[in-house]
Amino acid sequence: MLAPFQRTLRPLTCAFALALAGCGQGSDGEFTVAWIGTEQDLQADGVRLSNGGQLVRAATESGLVALDARGEVVPALAERWIVTDDGLSFIFRLREDEWADGSEMSAESVREALRRNLRALRGTSLGLDLSPIDEIRAMTGRVVEIRLTTPVPELLTLLAQPELVLREEGNGPMTLERIEPRPSQRDEVSAAQLLFRFKPPAERGLPDAPEWQDGVRDLLLVPAPARRALKMFDDGDANIVLGGRIDHLPLVDIGPLSRGTLQIDPAIGLFGLRVREAKGVLEEPALREAIAMAIDRPAVMEPFNVAGWSASTRLVAPDLPGDPGLVGERWADQSLEQRRQTAAARVQQYLARQEGATPAAVRLSLAIGEGPGLNRLLKSLADQLAAVNVRLERADDPATADLVLVDRVARFSDPRWFLDQFACSLRQGLCSQQADSFVVQSMNALDPVVRASLIAQAELQLTRDNVYIPIGAPIRWSLVRSGTRGFSPNRYAFHPLPPMAEVPK
């Protein structure tokens, strides 16, 4: 398959270039979305996709199922499915369709496509999430069964991930064209824009409708730096701004006038500091715990003024569906002052053990990106750690940093996603072989009580080893013009493009 950016281009018209040429919003009914990022962020090749690449892949390719605007699973290539009572078998009935090359979309071809995807995802965290898949069977002409070693209630959400599309031959709901900026515009914007257009209903597995085009519109996706994306929205040149993170949140007006415009996702995931290696002041679990104890999480985020943001000292997001409550928040019986006294004492003991003159403070480096929000976060963390004689600085070389900022939204609402991010096989920082063993055992446990206990033991092991310093939930935000349909905040912070390209009725 040709990469999305290599497809045949059409002439650039005023309507297609509305966000750059100033032709006027909606001159031909387009819906414009500004994406905070670069053109490279929207590349949709391979299995390691950026957030922007996931949007592009989900619009132009299809898997068995997909995620809608609310983050809920809807049919795609599979028109319906059933789950057996024991939760170990998912059976899908495929719609009557063909692949983009004209060959039959049979159960056998879907099985082979799924197997290829699973092989390609080996060595990734998503591959670990999918590891309970034991067998994929082609049962009849249009029926496929996925068998599991242990129940995965959220398997449909996993199968809806853009990396799980099948065949990658343009079998999704939309076509894509890359629009180059005109020479007169290149000083202002150098990135190309992406034009998405719905396919006819028959090519989307839907009944044909003579006036179907009245219900859809073209969608123009414009990658832009944060300040320009916000200006496009303010000037009326964009209906929605996507891709907002903590990096550029300070650029947004979050006062009363922005209510109904600034949309904060109730995202779950990881937002904290990962320990790269057990060395220096981070060589022992008790010393790593000292760093975690010193942080006042609500105070770290207070300058961002995000209503409803939840701090946490847990590695796994609290209150997930089915959470048995076996793991709670840390240091609940200690005040911040008591925690910092303990942390300062441990740091001082470490300093006293160093050869030669005792340093005034421990120095730690943090790999953290650039941006007004991240600069503010770094300063807040540095001010807090200074209270226990730790000097936190930005890492000159991320490859040698002591700590790494992790800011990642979960793919599915299950504790195992969180645990899989710290698997030793990923080689992304300090890990625990014992915790990995508990996770593997859980995938062979059919008793739900035993399974929950093993998952809790894995989280407790990672917590005791202090491989990660949680802060709370990741922050994802968008700007959405009043009255816009096809957008909904959701826990996966995933906002597919096709619903936005539907004309509100």
Side-chain angles (χ1 to χ4, degrees):
M1 182 196 77
L2 290 177
F5 286 2
Q6 296 174 319
R7 296 179 182 174
T8 303
L9 307 183
R10 298 190 309 173
L12 177 63
T13 68
C14 177
F16 296 158
L18 66 98
L20 297 182
C23 305
Q25 178 67 26
S27 59
D28 201 23
E30 297 89 350
F31 186 89
T32 302
V33 176
W35 169 262
I36 297 178
T38 66
E39 183 180 346
Q40 288 68 36
D41 293 334
L42 300 178
Q43 294 282 358
D45 299 324
V47 295
R48 298 178 185 270
L49 298 177
S50 65
N51 297 129
Q54 291 170 2
L55 284 181
V56 173
R57 175 77 62 81
T60 57
E61 314 290 349
S62 289
L64 289 174
V65 291
L67 294 178
D68 67 8
R70 295 175 295 178
E72 297 178 356
V73 175
V74 294
L77 298 182
E79 59 185 14
R80 58 184 181 272
W81 54 85
I82 60 172
V83 184
T84 56
D85 291 340
D86 60 7
L88 295 176
S89 177
F90 285 66
I91 301 172
F92 300 87
R93 184 169 184 82
L94 306 174
R95 72 190 193 198
E96 293 189 25
D97 208 342
E98 296 179 342
W99 297 112
D101 62 4
S103 61
E104 179 187 4
M105 187 182 293
S106 64
E108 184 69 30
S109 63
V110 167
R111 181 186 68 170
E112 292 308 310
L114 282 169
R115 285 177 171 177
R116 282 195 298 271
N117 282 350
L118 293 179
R119 288 194 296 269
L121 287 167
R122 288 173 185 167
T124 69
S125 59
L126 184 55
L128 291 176
D129 297 337
L130 293 161
S131 57
I133 293 179
D134 182 48
E135 184 182 5
I136 303 173
R137 301 175 61 204
M139 298 179 68
T140 64
R142 293 195 295 125
V143 178
V144 175
E145 180 188 21
I146 296 179
R147 290 188 172 183
L148 308 173
T149 59
T150 190
V152 182
E154 295 269 346
L155 179 67
L156 291 174
T157 304
L158 278 172
L159 294 176
Q161 300 303 310
E163 291 85 349
L164 269 295
V165 301
L166 303 179
R167 295 284 290 257
E168 299 186 30
E169 292 182 351
N171 59 352
M174 308 185 86
T175 61
L176 167 61
E177 297 177 42
R178 183 177 185 270
I179 309 300
E180 292 281 4
R182 295 185 301 190
S184 61
Q185 301 160 344
R186 285 176 183 161
D187 291 339
E188 185 177 7
V189 174
S190 59
Q193 303 171 50
L194 304 184
L195 178 69
F196 295 84
R197 174 167 290 157
F198 265 116
K199 295 177 181 177
E203 296 182 28
R204 291 182 271 142
L206 301 173
D208 200 9
E211 299 179 354
W212 67 272
Q213 289 177 311
D214 294 340
V216 298
R217 56 195 170 188
D218 293 347
L219 185 146
L220 194 68
L221 183 62
V222 183
R227 292 183 187 276
R228 171 157 179 78
L230 297 180
K231 186 176 186 302
M232 287 177 62
F233 188 83
D234 290 341
D235 292 347
D237 291 332
N239 303 82
I240 289 181
V241 175
L242 295 180
R245 303 163 68 100
I246 193 174
D247 314 28
H248 300 104
L249 186 57
L251 300 178
V252 182
D253 176 14
I254 56 177
L257 293 179
S258 69
R259 289 176 184 169
T261 300
L262 176 63
Q263 299 284 327
I264 304 290
D265 286 294
I268 58 172
L270 294 171
F271 181 63
L273 311 179
R274 174 128 192 205
V275 180
R276 288 190 66 253
E277 295 182 71
K279 66 177 183 179
V281 74
L282 302 175
E283 64 186 358
E284 300 172 4
L287 288 167
R288 298 193 291 269
E289 183 188 27
I291 305 302
M293 296 175 76
I295 297 176
D296 181 353
R297 288 155 180 80
V300 166
M301 300 303 296
E302 185 176 1
F304 295 95
N305 193 27
V306 178
W309 180 82
S310 56
S312 180
T313 58
R314 286 187 58 183
L315 180 146
V316 173
D319 303 321
L320 289 179
D323 185 350
L326 300 176
V327 181
E329 295 289 337
R330 305 182 74 182
W331 317 299
D333 59 342
Q334 299 181 43
S335 67
L336 177 63
E337 182 180 1
Q338 291 172 323
R339 285 166 26 204
R340 285 185 172 172
Q341 287 175 350
T342 301
R346 293 180 188 177
V347 171
Q348 194 57 41
Q349 291 169 5
Y350 167 80
L351 289 172
R353 295 197 300 266
Q354 306 310 299
E355 297 180 1
T358 302
V362 167
R363 299 182 66 173
L364 283 177
S365 60
L366 172 63
I368 187 171
E370 298 284 350
L374 295 178
N375 295 339
R376 183 179 294 181
L377 175 64
L378 176 61
K379 183 180 185 306
S380 182
L381 289 170
D383 290 346
Q384 293 201 20
L385 292 181
V388 296
N389 291 329
V390 173
R391 180 181 298 172
L392 184 67
E393 303 169 340
R394 191 187 299 271
D396 293 329
D397 181 3
T400 60
D402 299 306
L403 300 167
V404 176
L405 177 68
V406 178
D407 184 4
R408 193 175 304 155
V409 176
R411 296 294 193 108
F412 66 123
S413 304
D414 190 280
R416 200 164 53 81
W417 178 88
F418 295 82
L419 302 174
D420 284 346
Q421 307 310 301
F422 298 92
C424 294
S425 61
L426 299 181
R427 300 182 180 180
Q428 293 181 353
L430 201 59
C431 65
S432 167
Q433 295 284 357
Q434 183 60 58
D436 284 359
S437 177
F438 286 134
V439 173
V440 171
Q441 292 177 57
S442 75
M443 289 190 291
N444 295 311
L446 296 180
D447 187 322
V449 175
V450 173
R451 187 166 59 250
S453 175
L454 289 166
I455 288 294
Q457 289 182 67
E459 181 184 355
L460 288 171
Q461 186 64 54
L462 287 168
T463 300
R464 283 192 292 266
D465 290 343
N466 289 281
V467 305
Y468 173 69
I469 301 171
I471 296 176
I475 291 177
R476 296 293 185 271
W477 58 269
S478 305
L479 295 181
V480 183
R481 199 163 302 287
S482 177
T484 298
R485 303 288 182 87
F487 175 96
S488 180
N490 61 77
R491 61 173 43 202
Y492 303 120
F494 184 73
H495 304 291
L497 302 179
M500 301 179 198
E502 295 176 357
V503 175
K505 295 180 181 179

